[in-house]
Amino acid sequence: MAHRVVLVPGDGIGPEVATAARRVLDATGVELRWIERPAGATALERAGALLPEETLDAIRECRVALKGPITTPVGTGFRSVNVALRQELDLFAAVRPARSLPGVPTRHEGVDLVVIRENTEDLYQGIEFERGSDAAMALRARLRDLGGFELREDAGVTLKPISASGTHRIVRFAFEYARTNRRRKVTVGHKAPVMRFSDGLFLDTARADARDYPEIAWEEIQVDHLSARLVRRPEDFDVLLLPNLYGDILSDLCAGLVGGLGLIPGANIGWEYAVFEPVHGSAPDIAGRGIADPVAMILSGAMLMRHLGELDAAERVEAAVDAVLRAGSVRTGDVGGTSTTTDMADAIAAAVRSA
Ligand code: NAD
C-alpha cells in the first residue's frame, strides 16, 4: 500500500531541495503518494496565511510530512511558522544526527552525534511581552508585587517555562532512542546553577529518569563548557539531550563539525505526528540559483523512510549519499564542488537505483 506523505516545499531553497529529495525517495521504488501543501511566504501570498489550516489538516491526516525550510519574517508580528507547527502538532522531540560523511573535509573525523532537543517549551514557547506594551507594564507591576523583581521600564520580556512533564517525555524519548539505536551515552547540557527553576528542573528530572536506563552512560555538563568540549573533542559525545534554545544552537554547531548546514537532516516527532526537515534555513543568499546542497533534505527523507518502517529504502538512500560524496565528482559548492542541486539529486537517485 502506498504511503501518503505531505510535502511542504517551503521558502527560498526549499522548493529546490524538496524536488531533489522527492526524486531520490521515488527512486527507492517504495510507493509514496505525495500531497503537496504550502507554508511560509509562498503560502502567505497564495492562501493569506503563513501556516494554512489545509496544510495542518493534511499532516494530521497523513501523520508524516517532509518539509523544506521556511523564512521567518522579522518584526512583522508573525509567530515563527516552525514554532507554530511544532506546537500545533505537539512535535516535542527534535532529532538531529550529525555524522562525519565520507569525502567531506572537516577538522574532526569519526563524529557521530545525535542532538535530541525539547521542541515546545523554554524561551521558544513564544510567551513574549513587547517593550512598552500594556501587558509588559502589567507584568512589571505584578513581578514587583510578587517578589520585588525590578524590570526596567523599557525592557522587552521573553519567558522561559520548563515543566517537569515536558522534560520527562523528552528524557524518556532520548533514552528510548539511545536504547533502540544502540547508543552508549546520553549527555545533558544545562545552565542549572544560574536558572535553578527552569534548567534546574530539567536537570533534576533528567537525572532521576536516567536511573531507569542503567545500561546507558549518563553525563551532565553546563552548556557553555559543553560547547567548548564539542569543538575540541566531538568524538567524546554520543546523544546530546538539550532544552529547546541550547538544542537549536548546538545542532548548528554540530552541523559545522561535520561539514555544514547543507548536510544535516532532522526530524520533529510527537506521539502522533512526525515532520522531517533539514536543519538549515531558507538560505535567501543562494535561493533560486539551483546550487543548494540537497543532502540535508535527502537524508531527512531517509529518516522519514525509516519512520515509515521502510528500513531497506532508508539504508539505500544513506548509502547512496555516502557513495556520491565519497566519489567526489558530483558535489555542490558548500562542500567544495561546482555541481547543481539537480546534478546531485540525479547522481544520488542513480546510486539508489543501482544499489
Ligand atoms: P540558513 O540556514 O538559511 O543559511 C545559513 C548559511 O548556510 C547561508 O550562507 C546559506 O547559504 C547556507 N546554507 C544553508 N543551507 C544550505 C544548503 N542546503 N546548501 C548550501 N548552503 C546552505 O540560515 P539563516 O540565513 O540564518 O536563515 C534564513 C531564513 O531561514 C530565516 O528566515 C530563518 O528564520 C529561516 N530558518 C528556517 C528554518 C526552518 O524552516 N526549519 C531553520 C533555520 C532558519
Side-chain angles (χ1 to χ4, degrees):
M1 207 181 68
H3 299 286
R4 298 173 76 220
V5 178
V6 178
L7 182 68
V8 182
D11 298 324
I13 60 170
E16 300 161 49
V17 294
T19 304
R22 184 172 171 169
R23 185 170 307 169
V24 170
L25 297 183
D26 284 340
T28 62
V30 171
E31 217 184 316
L32 298 166
R33 182 125 53 88
W34 297 101
I35 293 148
E36 198 170 314
R37 290 289 181 272
T42 3
L44 188 62
E45 261 168 43
R46 270 196 251 142
L50 280 168
L51 182 57
E53 266 310 309
E54 55 157 340
T55 301
L56 277 172
D57 285 346
I59 301 175
R60 286 194 186 102
E61 209 183 306
C62 300
R63 294 178 175 267
V64 282
L66 182 62
K67 172 186 158 295
I70 286 170
T71 302
T72 303
V74 179
T76 52
F78 284 112
R79 199 159 60 121
S80 155
V81 174
N82 296 308
V83 173
L85 190 67
R86 290 165 198 161
Q87 287 178 353
E88 289 287 339
L89 301 174
D90 201 20
L91 305 171
F92 65 85
V95 180
R96 295 172 164 188
R99 70 178 167 98
S100 300
L101 290 161
V104 179
T106 53
R107 283 170 190 272
H108 303 277
E109 281 170 18
V111 178
D112 185 10
L113 294 164
V114 183
V115 172
I116 298 197
R117 157 188 171 195
E118 201 290 323
N119 233 353
T120 59
E121 300 197 308
D122 193 1
L123 283 161
Y124 285 5
Q125 186 160 331
I127 308 173
E128 298 210 274
F129 298 84
E130 190 178 358
R131 177 183 76 159
S133 63
D134 289 348
M137 290 305 139
L139 178 72
R140 186 164 168 263
R142 191 85 183 101
L143 286 175
R144 187 179 297 135
D145 288 351
L146 279 176
F149 300 110
E150 277 304 327
L151 279 187
R152 291 204 175 116
E153 202 174 347
D154 57 353
V157 178
T158 302
L159 292 189
K160 179 179 164 101
I162 289 190
S163 68
S165 51
T167 304
H168 186 63
R169 64 181 182 174
I170 191 71
V171 175
R172 292 272 154 195
F173 181 94
F175 276 97
E176 291 298 330
Y177 178 94
R179 191 175 260 175
T180 310
N181 293 280
R182 300 184 199 289
R183 296 271 170 178
R184 59 191 151 74
K185 183 168 78 168
V186 173
T187 302
V188 68
H190 65 91
K191 204 67 201 169
V194 183
M195 289 168 278
R196 291 172 299 150
F197 303 135
S198 49
D199 281 25
L201 180 60
F202 192 90
L203 179 60
D204 288 346
T205 308
R207 196 187 278 154
D209 284 346
R211 293 195 195 105
D212 293 338
Y213 300 85
E215 77 279 19
I216 298 164
W218 165 253
E219 185 178 38
E220 357 181 305
I221 309 185
Q222 291 196 43
V223 70
D224 40 359
H225 185 203
L226 174 59
S227 315
R229 282 194 45 199
L230 269 172
V231 294
R232 291 180 64 123
R233 291 186 54 84
E235 63 278 14
D236 286 355
F237 297 97
D238 192 351
V239 174
L240 301 176
L241 167 62
L242 297 160
N244 207 339
L245 175 69
Y246 309 148
D248 190 21
I249 297 169
L250 290 193
S251 45
D252 273 33
L253 186 153
C254 292
L257 289 173
V258 297
L261 282 166
L263 304 170
I264 303 296
N268 298 294
I269 297 181
W271 299 129
E272 292 192 62
Y273 313 109
V275 175
F276 296 80
E277 61 175 342
V279 171
H280 65 71
S282 54
D285 52 337
I286 56 165
R289 292 166 54 195
I291 57 168
D293 193 337
V295 164
M297 187 73 162
I298 291 169
L299 290 176
S300 303
M303 291 176 81
L304 180 148
M305 292 297 233
R306 189 164 283 118
H307 181 83
L308 293 174
E310 301 288 355
L311 305 188
D312 175 62
E315 277 165 24
R316 275 195 292 140
V317 170
E318 286 161 355
V321 168
D322 282 9
V324 170
L325 288 173
R326 188 180 295 112
S329 54
V330 184
R331 57 172 62 190
T332 44
D334 57 319
V335 283
T338 54
S339 306
T340 65
T341 311
T342 311
D343 294 336
M344 196 69 189
D346 287 345
I348 298 170
V352 165
R353 275 191 218 97
S354 65

